[in-house]
Amino acid sequence: MKRFILACAFIAALSASVFAQQSTAFAEKPALVTSIGQSADFEMIKVLLNRAKVPYTADSLVKAEKLDGSAKTLILVVGASSKGLGAAGISAEAELVRTHALLKKAKELKLSIIVMHVGGAARRGAMSDSFIKPCMEVADYAIVVASGDEDGLFTDLAAKAKINLAKVDRISAAGTPLAASFK
Amino acid sequence: MKIFKRLIPVALVALLLLGGFQSVFAQKAPTVIPEVVSSQGMVASAHPLASQAGLDILKAGGNAVDAVVATAFANGVVEPNANGLGGEGYIVIYRKAENKATSIDYRSRASFNPPKEGEKWPNPGHRGVAVPGTVAGLAMALEKYGTMSLSQVLQPAIKIAEEGFVVSPTLAGVISDNFKRIMQNDYLMSIVAPDGLPLEAGDVYKNPDLVKTLKLLASEGADAFYKGEIARLLVDDMKAHDGLIDMNDLAQYKAIEREPATGLYRGYDIVSAPAPVGGFLLIQSLNMLENYNLKFLGFDSAMKLHLFAEVLARAFDDYYNVLGDPDYVDVPMKALTSQGYADAKAKSIKLDAMTSKYDKVDPNSEHWSTTHMSVVDKDGNVVALTQTLSSFFGAAVAAPGTGIILNNEMGNFNGKKGTAAYAPGKRMNTTIAPTLIMKDGQSFATLGTPGAMRIVPTLAQIVTNMIDYGMGIQEAIEAPRMYCTYLQGPGKTTMELEGALFPKKTMDDLALLGYKIKSYDNRDLYFGGVQGIIIKDGQLYGGADPRRDGAVFGY
């Protein structure tokens, strides 16, 4: 019985760390939100930012050279959509090049970086994962809908990057940790 | 060039070894979804609640037409992204007692009101909406070949709509993918994103206005849609948003019974939907494939996939250049589906090299969101029905007060010339192809799929999976798929396929043949969602597509 209680306590402690949210607001306003993978999830994050009354600029295809420091926080809406990439007229390879350049410039400008993955399992797979990994390496915080982390990819990447990861059950619930991360 | 040297001798042998093998049609490999077997009746559709609706009608004594109409109305409720009262479709019916097949065209048609000069049909938006045919088509099928009343077969749909249903991951994904378009219409938002964000998997989908509309149809019949209260609400919405459809367009809409397109493939009769849709493309593709021993080429070889690309490209040439509304243009359906025409086209195919350009053969000398359902009843009547809104969520507009999401079929006229060009009141071309297969005067299978331009390629693969490779229906549906219908020569032609499910050698060989590869990680909705039933030795074998929320129920 003792062993069972200890095991439960261990699992509870582990879960608490996995579901940890950013305890203090760290991100400055205004934000720049962009898509990494051109999925429609980008539109949903705009709705959440409007609800949270966070001032932002949205540019799904923003390039590194457009970052000038006027936005203090970069929100990356991560997840690939073949249809979205096609509609945007950009290949997956070109999107990855844009992403790497964007991340490099954001770090140079010392922007806070928030990764948001709200598409669940549908926004996972080889193409999506190729976008997720470089973004998580440089992120300061990540907010994901839990069904997108069933294999623990985000949990592992967050642990490696030593950043907090907020896992929520549904898209609308992502608004709370997102709003709380802004000063 | 090494691959060519390897392929040439194999190709020559393959060409010499045509035909002469026994198919089994039994499931040989494990499947993601178990094959369903029954003996009395069976319904396969893209949603369990829709299949259940059809099965309940069969058990209540309805025939296959009653059941498919009930399934179609119910499916319009539970797959609002893919079909419904604001859409259209095509139905192919085989009546055992008369040993006769027929088809009903309920394609949407253009308004008689002309567009602005040079106008491109928009998506999203009301001007992209064509006059819906679903209600007229289903009512005609029921009146001519069913045994129940419209009110009776509407009851399952009304019940589902009243109770609401749980949003599946598939539907949630489609709503999410189309959110940007949906956001532009407040009324549609109130249905699929009632709290401002898309409904998610596990949420309950409700559309109370659709309940009222379905009840009105049940009490007043199809005229309520084309001349009555529903028509008035649709036209009010059109007027408010600069749409073209008026009361006259709705009142003049008629479903049309047509002779099906027919062909023969390795001794099996193929019965499919005729112009202005894609059944002839399937028949013509199979006619070309009949020149080759597919079993010898192997199911998953690069050479077989290359052959399909060559065949499909030649067939689709006619989709762009010959097909049109038969009420407006002459479509030589007999020539297009003739073996001689297909043989002439196939002559230029090389198994070891990709075609960059091919000579057209004169047919007169010989020529992205839909859903499908198949039904067989205890008396041996068989039905295949495919219906659509064109794009997922159609024009991304819904008419306030009706719960009806409207199609964007007018977009099918964009960029079309010749036989496929726009004209007032004309039906536009599309590739849907609900299909029946007969053997020795007996029904053998009913099948169909959504998938836009992938419809015919997917069906050609399913038919050959069954007939050439002897797969059972579920195995045939789950087998990996390819899509390539436009050849531009090596280095310029892209083949899309479920690459993770094909051998690496196949992918390497395709690259050596000059194909650019777009590979999908797994079975993907992009390649369609086939529903089908095989009838063999008094048993019914049903298959549903795991790429969608397909479900088969039998008794």
Side-chain angles (χ1 to χ4, degrees):
Chain A
M1 188 62 187
K2 257 186 186 174
R3 214 181 289 170
F4 176 72
I5 292 168
L6 279 172
C8 289
F10 177 72
I11 290 166
L14 191 68
S15 304
S17 68
V18 167
F19 285 86
Q21 292 194 5
Q22 198 72 22
S23 53
T24 55
F26 69 98
E28 290 190 48
K29 298 168 186 170
L32 170 64
V33 57
T34 192
S35 170
I36 303 294
Q38 302 305 315
S39 76
D41 300 344
F42 177 70
E43 299 299 327
M44 294 162 217
I45 302 309
K46 285 160 59 181
V47 173
L48 294 179
L49 286 167
N50 288 335
R51 287 180 179 178
K53 297 188 168 54
V54 173
Y56 69 93
T57 308
D59 184 343
S60 60
L61 286 164
V62 71
K63 289 186 172 173
E65 48 268 34
K66 285 278 178 72
L67 291 190
D68 56 8
S70 56
K72 305 298 180 193
T73 298
L74 180 63
I75 299 173
L76 307 169
V77 185
V78 188
S81 161
S82 295
K83 194 175 159 189
L85 287 164
I90 188 167
S91 68
E93 293 76 20
E95 180 75 336
L96 202 53
V97 169
R98 181 182 74 90
T99 300
H100 281 293
L102 196 63
L103 296 176
K104 185 166 177 276
K105 185 74 181 286
K107 291 310 278 185
E108 283 170 12
L109 293 170
K110 296 188 172 27
L111 304 187
S112 298
I113 299 175
I114 299 174
V115 164
M116 299 203 70
H117 184 273
V118 295
R123 295 270 181 254
R124 289 292 312 279
M127 199 195 298
S128 284
D129 291 0
S130 73
F131 294 130
I132 290 167
K133 287 170 186 169
C135 293
M136 285 295 286
E137 279 173 15
V138 298
D140 297 297
Y141 186 36
I143 302 167
V144 304
V145 168
S147 58
D149 191 39
E150 280 179 354
D151 62 352
L153 176 73
F154 283 100
T155 302
D156 292 346
L157 292 173
K160 275 184 197 157
K162 296 181 179 153
I163 61 167
N164 282 333
L165 171 70
K167 289 214 275 189
V168 295
D169 289 336
R170 48 189 293 120
I171 298 166
S172 56
T176 303
L178 178 63
S181 64
F182 280 90
K183 290 178 182 172
Chain B
M1 287 304 283
K2 270 184 182 173
I3 177 121
F4 296 149
K5 285 183 182 168
R6 274 208 318 270
L7 292 175
I8 289 166
V10 181
L12 291 172
V13 175
L15 283 166
L16 292 170
L17 293 174
L18 299 175
F21 52 84
Q22 185 71 40
S23 292
V24 181
F25 314 115
Q27 185 172 313
K28 293 183 269 308
T31 50
V32 176
I33 297 175
E35 190 167 84
V36 175
V37 183
S38 72
S39 59
Q40 296 295 300
M42 187 172 275
V43 183
S45 83
H47 196 286
L49 290 173
S51 295
Q52 188 62 52
L55 188 71
D56 290 344
I57 292 291
L58 285 179
K59 284 183 172 175
N63 69 12
V65 174
D66 299 321
V68 86
V69 171
T71 305
F73 278 125
N75 198 275
V77 177
V78 294
E79 274 205 315
N81 53 302
N83 72 144
L85 305 183
E88 49 135 78
Y90 225 110
I91 179 169
V92 181
I93 301 167
Y94 169 72
R95 288 173 298 137
K96 173 87 171 172
E98 291 83 11
N99 189 27
K100 191 167 182 254
T102 188
S103 71
I104 294 172
D105 169 349
Y106 58 100
R107 287 285 290 151
S108 52
R109 65 189 287 184
S111 163
F112 288 105
N113 298 309
K116 294 167 191 156
E117 194 165 333
E119 181 177 359
K120 196 179 170 204
W121 305 105
N123 181 17
H126 288 74
R127 288 183 79 85
V129 180
V131 182
T134 297
V135 173
L138 297 180
M140 177 189 264
L142 195 68
E143 191 180 325
K144 293 193 86 167
Y145 302 114
T147 65
M148 292 180 162
S149 68
L150 188 61
S151 175
Q152 278 176 295
V153 298
L154 273 164
Q155 293 313 309
I158 291 169
K159 183 167 184 281
I160 296 166
E162 277 182 325
E163 292 175 356
F165 63 94
V166 176
V167 174
S168 70
T170 306
L171 177 56
V174 174
I175 297 173
S176 160
D177 278 346
N178 290 278
F179 189 56
K180 191 173 180 180
R181 294 167 61 234
I182 291 167
M183 284 172 82
Q184 296 175 45
N185 187 271
D186 289 344
Y187 182 63
L188 182 56
M189 276 289 282
S190 75
I191 298 170
V192 301
D195 74 348
L197 285 166
L199 287 171
E200 296 182 50
D203 289 348
V204 174
Y205 181 111
K206 287 197 169 180
N207 183 351
D209 285 342
L210 185 61
V211 178
K212 285 190 277 180
T213 296
L214 290 168
K215 285 183 173 175
L216 206 54
L217 283 179
S219 61
E220 295 183 15
D223 274 358
F225 189 94
Y226 292 99
K227 294 172 182 167
E229 175 65 9
I230 303 167
R232 191 186 58 74
L233 289 167
L234 291 172
V235 170
D236 284 351
D237 189 43
M238 284 287 149
K239 279 182 187 161
H241 295 92
D242 199 25
L244 291 173
I245 297 171
D246 61 17
M247 292 299 281
N248 176 54
D249 289 320
L250 288 164
Q252 289 209 41
Y253 183 86
K254 296 277 182 294
I256 301 169
E257 186 163 13
R258 299 189 193 275
E259 188 79 16
T262 56
L264 192 67
Y265 181 66
R266 303 199 199 283
Y268 289 81
D269 292 296
I270 311 294
V271 182
S272 194
V277 299
F280 84 96
L281 294 170
L282 173 64
I283 291 165
Q284 190 184 111
S285 300
L286 292 170
N287 284 345
M288 280 188 260
L289 289 169
E290 190 149 14
N291 288 285
Y292 302 88
N293 185 339
L294 297 185
K295 197 171 186 185
F296 186 84
L297 291 177
F299 166 73
D300 54 12
S301 72
M303 193 186 288
K304 179 236 174 171
L305 298 177
H306 163 63
L307 171 64
F308 268 68
E310 293 280 337
V311 161
L312 291 165
R314 282 162 177 76
F316 270 81
D317 192 45
D318 288 339
Y319 175 73
Y320 296 113
N321 295 308
V322 183
L323 186 62
D325 181 343
D327 290 347
Y328 283 69
V329 296
D330 179 33
V331 183
M333 196 52 60
K334 290 247 182 288
L336 290 168
T337 54
S338 72
Q339 188 64 48
Y341 177 56
D343 291 348
K345 275 190 160 189
K347 265 184 189 165
S348 58
I349 294 174
K350 292 186 176 72
L351 287 177
D352 60 346
M354 192 192 303
T355 304
S356 299
K357 196 178 168 189
Y358 46 87
D359 294 331
K360 282 180 190 166
V361 177
D362 180 1
N364 294 309
S365 66
E366 274 279 336
H367 185 7
W368 240 162
S369 332
T370 302
T371 193
H372 177 80
M373 49 211 79
S374 291
V375 176
V376 179
D377 68 21
K378 63 180 170 42
D379 297 321
N381 301 306
V382 185
V383 181
L385 181 154
T386 304
Q387 51 186 30
T388 184
L389 294 174
S390 198
S391 295
F392 275 141
F393 288 106
V397 298
T402 67
I404 297 172
I405 298 168
L406 294 162
N407 70 80
N408 64 318
E409 288 291 344
M410 292 303 291
N412 285 310
F413 283 125
N414 281 333
K416 299 283 168 54
K417 293 175 183 166
T419 55
Y422 161 81
K426 191 177 178 186
R427 283 160 150 85
M428 58 294 293
N429 295 349
T430 188
T431 55
I432 61 172
T435 298
L436 307 179
I437 306 177
M438 320 290 291
K439 174 73 173 163
D440 302 328
Q442 301 291 316
S443 301
F444 167 67
T446 161
L447 70 159
T449 184
M453 299 305 277
R454 276 82 60 202
I455 287 175
V456 169
T458 286
L459 287 178
Q461 289 168 83
I462 300 293
V463 172
T464 55
N465 286 350
M466 294 189 298
I467 294 178
D468 293 86
Y469 299 107
M471 293 184 195
I473 185 70
Q474 188 63 40
E475 194 180 357
I477 288 171
E478 292 188 11
R481 296 178 195 157
M482 57 76 71
Y483 168 66
C484 181
T485 60
Y486 186 50
L487 298 172
Q488 297 168 284
K492 296 177 187 167
T493 300
T494 299
M495 182 181 289
E496 298 177 271
L497 72 173
E498 294 169 329
L501 303 174
F502 283 99
K504 184 176 179 305
K505 183 178 181 309
T506 299
M507 308 294 280
D508 293 344
D509 287 351
L510 284 170
L512 283 169
L513 275 163
Y515 286 95
K516 292 196 288 181
I517 300 295
K518 184 173 179 188
S519 179
Y520 287 72
D521 293 343
N522 207 335
R523 293 179 188 88
D524 199 286
L525 177 64
Y526 178 75
F527 294 92
V530 178
Q531 322 299 335
I533 301 169
I534 284 180
I535 306 123
K536 188 163 171 61
D537 301 330
Q539 294 287 301
L540 308 174
Y541 301 86
D545 206 322
R547 294 168 184 82
R548 211 135 152 176
D549 298 322
V552 185
F553 295 132
Y555 76 110

